[in-house]
Amino acid sequence: MPGPVKTEAVVLRSLRFGEADRILHLYTPGRGKIGAIAKGVRRARSRFGGRLEPFFRLELMLHEGRSELLTVTGAQTIEGFARLREHAAALDTAARACDAVSRLFDTSEPHPDVHNLLCNELSLLDADPGRAGHANQLAFRLKLLLAAGLAPQLASCASCGERDHLSGFSGAAGGVVCPACEAGSFPLDEAAHEFLASALGRPLAETPGASDRALRQAERAIADTVEHHAGVRLREAIAR
Ligand SMILES: [Zn+2]
C-alpha cells in the first residue's frame, strides 16, 4: 500500500547512483531487506549529512510508491558506530557480517531476530574493535544459520544418530557425521567441533577462540551447510 513508512534499519550497502543520489540496501526488523533511494544525498548541503553510509543504525522515514525502491524522506541516527570505523579489521568484519545478512536473508520476510543480531554485532565491534576477526565472524554466521532454521546438528550423527566417533561434517546431512555415514563429508577435528558447539551455544560476546585450523574447518562446515540448504554462497569470513 503506497504511503509513508517509518522503520528502524541498518545500512548494509550504499551505492552511488546518478549525479547525487544513493541506492541503499537496508535491513529492517519488520520488512526484512529493502531497497531505497536517497535523492540529493551526495550534495554538500544534503539534510541527510553523512549518515546514509554502511553500518549506520537509523530511524528512517520512507515513502513507498509504485517502484520497488522506497524513497528516503527522513533519517535520524540511532547509532553511528564511530569507533568501529577507525579500525580496519572491525570495518572488514562488519562489512562481511552485513554481506552475510544480505545474502542469507535476501527477502522481505521479517526476521526481527536477525536485525537484533546484526545490531548486537555492530555494537560489540564498536565497543571493542579488537574482537573483530575470524572467530567472531563465524559465531555471527552460526547465529544467522540458527535464525534461518539451518543450525548444524552437532550432538549426534546427522545421518544415523550415533553419538560417538563424530569425526566428519557433511553439509548435505546438515551436521557432524560418524565414520559409517562419512560419504560426502570432510574431516572435522575435535577442536573445530567444540568451537562450533560453543559458538552456537554462547552469546556472541562470549565467542571462544580456536586455532586457525579449527576455524578453517568451522568455516567450511558453515559454508557447506549454507550452500546445500539455502543455495547461497557466502563470502570468505576473513580477508586472506
Ligand atoms: Zn552415522
Side-chain angles (χ1 to χ4, degrees):
M1 188 180 290
V5 174
K6 185 178 178 184
T7 182
E8 243 195 59
V10 173
V11 181
L12 301 174
R13 284 188 84 186
S14 178
L15 308 163
R16 292 170 175 222
F17 184 73
E19 288 202 351
D21 303 345
R22 278 191 178 278
I23 304 270
L24 307 175
H25 295 179
L26 302 165
Y27 202 80
T28 71
R31 292 175 157 243
K33 185 178 158 188
I34 60 173
I37 183 163
K39 292 180 177 163
V41 68
R42 282 157 51 216
R43 294 205 176 94
R45 281 181 294 167
S46 164
R47 67 206 147 108
F48 299 125
R51 60 174 72 90
L52 302 184
E53 297 290 334
F55 323 133
F56 268 87
R57 184 178 174 190
L58 303 169
E59 180 77 45
L60 288 175
M61 285 302 300
L62 303 156
H63 179 79
E64 186 165 31
R66 289 172 190 280
S67 160
E68 220 173 272
L69 291 176
L70 285 78
T71 303
V72 181
T73 55
Q76 299 216 307
T77 303
I78 297 173
E79 284 187 77
F81 304 118
R83 266 169 63 86
L84 175 168
R85 287 166 205 284
E86 290 168 10
H87 293 79
L91 269 174
D92 184 69
T93 295
R96 288 171 201 274
C98 285
D99 189 73
V101 168
S102 193
R103 292 181 193 218
L104 204 46
F105 292 91
D106 187 15
T107 163
S108 57
E109 203 179 293
H111 285 278
D113 49 341
V114 171
H115 181 263
N116 289 342
L117 180 63
L118 181 58
C119 291
N120 183 17
E121 167 75 342
L122 294 173
S123 295
L124 286 174
L125 292 172
D126 192 61
D128 180 7
R131 213 183 268 283
H134 206 182
N136 166 278
Q137 181 69 207
L138 296 180
F140 177 75
R141 290 180 178 192
L142 280 166
K143 289 174 189 307
L144 288 184
L145 289 194
L146 191 62
L150 298 176
Q153 183 174 325
L154 298 171
S156 58
C157 174
S159 291
C160 74
E162 165 72 44
R163 295 196 157 263
D164 297 318
H165 313 296
L166 302 167
S167 54
F169 189 96
S170 161
V176 292
V177 288
C178 72
C181 303
E182 71 182 3
S185 73
F186 67 88
L188 190 78
D189 293 352
E190 204 175 320
H193 190 174
E194 272 173 24
F195 173 81
L196 288 168
S198 60
L200 200 54
R202 292 190 207 174
L204 205 48
E206 294 167 25
T207 299
S211 68
D212 280 346
R213 179 184 162 90
L215 293 176
R216 275 198 304 274
Q217 290 182 358
E219 178 166 358
R220 182 166 173 197
I222 293 167
D224 284 7
T225 301
V226 169
E227 277 193 48
H228 269 96
H229 299 285
V232 168
R233 282 189 72 115
L234 296 174
R235 274 172 70 188
E236 289 191 319
I238 50 164
R240 291 185 213 277

